């Protein structure tokens, strides 16, 4: 199981939000590349980066600062970068790919512009990740602010038909809250998708990491960990060890 330490960016700073709410923002660092290097030194091979300024459609200065931060993070040795947040054009996909991003996540446009999603999936293939977030089984878009009256199963099923092979599923109610994970929710999403998913939202203990790893490679491809690392619940090195330990018992 891949462990993705998370770096969420607003105006070039590393932040965490509670339940995705912009008003509940904690700033952890003003040097994202240094945070990325720290994760690499602890053994990370992948990093999950979210451009929240783009997702929230903030001003050009904030978005430019995040773009510079993403470029700098991609230059950190030994890390494969998975990036998303506000990616709404082929030009932006091209730009992020030119920085060296190994995976690029599409979120809102998957629902609002299915034609674009189809063209992107056909043109960029395995580079792309479908980023689906939901609260109470209902998909949310535009930085998780707006509902679309569509179920997770409906959206995930459609994306699978379009050819997406990677999926991040976020449980919004648990994101940034350190309330634990719902493994069964990821089982259901993986069953609909037909391939393993990346779990996001709520990881708060090493037992959560082990539980996801024990779900097996047909259910969980990886897990994203943010707040628990920044709040010192455990280290990334401990999380990587727990993932390996849990994976040994996977069916």
């Amino acid at each position: 199981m891949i462990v993705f330490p998370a770096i969420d960016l607003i105006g070039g700073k590393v932040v965490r939000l509670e339940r995705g709410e912009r008003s509940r923002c904690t700033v952890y660092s003003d040097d994202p590349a240094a945070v990325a290097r720290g994760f690499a030194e602890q053994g990370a091979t992948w990093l999950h980066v979210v451009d929240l300024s783009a997702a929230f459609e903030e001003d050009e200065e904030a978005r430019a600062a995040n773009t510079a931060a993403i470029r700098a993070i991609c230059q950190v040795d030994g890390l494969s970068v998975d990036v998303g947040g506000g990616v709404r054009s082929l030009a932006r996909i091209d730009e992020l790919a030119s920085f060296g991003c190994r995976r690029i996540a599409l979120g809102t446009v998957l629902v609002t512009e299915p034609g674009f999603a189809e063209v992107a999936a056909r043109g960029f293939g395995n580079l792309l990740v479908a980023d689906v977030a939901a609260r109470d089984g209902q998909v949310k878009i535009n930085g998780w602010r707006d509902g679309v009256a569509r179920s997770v199963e409906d959206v995930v099923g459609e994306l699978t038909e379009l050819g997406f092979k990677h999926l991040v599923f976020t449980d919004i109610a648990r994101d940034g809250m350190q309330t634990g994970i719902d493994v069964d929710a990821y089982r259901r999403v993986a069953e609909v998708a037909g391939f393993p998913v990346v779990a996001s939202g709520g990881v708060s203990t090493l037992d959560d990491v082990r539980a996801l790893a024990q779900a097996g490679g047909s259910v969980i491809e990886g897990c994203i960990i943010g707040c628990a690392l920044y709040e010192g619940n455990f280290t990334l090195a401990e999380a990587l060890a727990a993932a390996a330990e849990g994976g040994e018992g996977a069916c």
Side-chain angles (χ1 to χ4, degrees):
M1 182 180 77
I2 302 169
V3 174
F4 296 83
I7 293 182
D8 289 359
L9 299 170
I10 289 181
K13 299 181 186 298
V14 180
V15 305
R16 293 302 294 168
L17 307 183
E18 291 184 11
R19 297 192 181 97
E21 295 180 22
R22 179 66 173 85
S23 61
R24 297 186 176 187
C25 174
T26 301
V27 176
Y28 286 102
S29 174
D30 59 3
D31 191 343
V35 174
R37 282 192 295 272
F39 286 140
E41 289 167 359
Q42 291 188 67
T45 56
W46 278 90
L47 185 68
H48 180 73
V49 180
V50 182
D51 184 345
L52 290 174
S53 292
F56 290 132
E57 300 180 295
E58 296 185 339
D59 61 57
E60 187 59 36
E61 182 179 355
R63 296 173 72 162
N66 277 2
T67 294
I70 293 167
R71 185 188 294 111
I73 288 169
C74 287
Q75 293 172 357
V76 175
D77 289 339
L79 284 178
S80 294
V81 177
D82 165 35
V83 65
V87 180
R88 299 187 173 104
S89 70
L90 296 177
R92 182 59 168 169
I93 296 173
D94 278 330
E95 181 180 36
L96 293 170
S98 75
F99 295 162
C101 295
R102 294 285 303 280
R103 292 186 184 180
I104 299 170
L106 303 182
T108 294
V109 292
L110 298 177
V111 177
T112 61
E113 299 180 47
F116 170 81
E118 183 175 8
V119 170
R122 190 164 56 242
F124 291 92
N126 206 46
L127 178 68
L128 297 186
V129 179
D131 188 351
V132 177
R135 187 192 299 272
D136 300 325
Q138 295 295 303
V139 171
K140 300 289 186 179
I141 62 171
N142 291 325
W144 306 349
R145 293 167 294 181
D146 302 326
V148 292
R150 293 184 64 185
S151 70
V152 172
E153 291 79 8
D154 180 30
V155 171
V156 170
E158 181 178 278
L159 296 175
T160 300
E161 291 178 0
L162 291 179
F164 284 87
K165 298 299 183 185
H166 298 290
L167 172 72
V168 173
F169 177 65
T170 302
D171 187 343
I172 296 172
R174 296 171 185 266
D175 189 72
M177 299 305 295
Q178 301 188 69
T179 52
I181 47 108
D182 181 356
V183 176
D184 286 339
Y186 298 111
R187 290 185 196 278
R188 291 191 293 271
V189 174
E191 184 176 357
V192 173
F195 54 82
V197 304
V198 175
S200 174
V203 173
S204 59
T205 68
L206 293 175
D207 282 342
D208 290 333
V209 178
R210 293 186 188 99
L212 288 168
Q214 287 168 358
S218 64
V219 175
I220 301 294
E221 180 187 22
C223 71
I224 295 168
I225 309 176
C227 192
L229 294 176
Y230 292 102
E231 293 297 324
N233 293 22
F234 48 79
T235 67
L236 177 59
E238 289 172 331
L240 291 166
E245 176 187 336
E248 290 174 359
C251 297

